Amino acid sequence: MFLPKARLVRLTLAAALLAGASLASAAELATFKLEMQDGKLIPPRIEVPSGQRIKIEIHNIGKSAAEFESIELRKEKVLAPGAQSFVVIAPLRPGEYKFFDDFHLNMPQGVIVAK
């Protein structure tokens, strides 16, 4: 399909603005830090506000791969040693939501507490 150059430029600008808006909104979220070290979760308990989207920045400081996983939250993120990433979580009802390192199931689980 052929698009006139002016229309293509407008579509490209619109896409860029939308991408920028989503990055800006992710940057403005309440952010919580989690370190994973060969199965150890630091901190093992994260308290977050209920009713609003949050961002959890994850850093694997261990020597082996790690996988942040929460079945209740339907989130998972695999990180190589030294890697950093994040997950954005939809507004939570008050309560506790377990998470764990799926590559180190023998280690204690963590919990996100929404208040």
Side-chain angles (χ1 to χ4, degrees), residues 35-97:
E35 292 182 332
M36 301 178 82
Q37 183 178 29
D38 303 313
K40 185 176 181 183
L41 305 169
I42 308 164
R45 178 184 174 93
I46 302 172
E47 292 189 10
V48 303
S50 63
Q52 70 181 59
R53 286 179 30 174
I54 61 166
K55 180 169 122 177
I56 298 179
E57 292 180 349
I58 308 164
H59 184 193
N60 181 1
I61 61 172
K63 296 180 180 177
S64 62
E67 181 178 0
F68 172 90
E69 182 152 351
S70 174
I71 295 168
E72 296 165 322
L73 299 173
R74 292 181 240 155
K75 296 286 181 184
E76 59 184 319
K77 181 72 70 166
V78 175
L79 293 100
Q84 295 183 27
S85 190
F86 67 91
V87 292
V88 175
I89 298 173
L92 297 172
R93 292 184 174 147
E96 295 188 356
Y97 304 85

Side-chain angles (χ1 to χ4, degrees), residues 11-27:
L11 289 173
T12 303
L13 287 173
L17 288 172
L18 287 173
S22 65
L23 289 175
S25 66

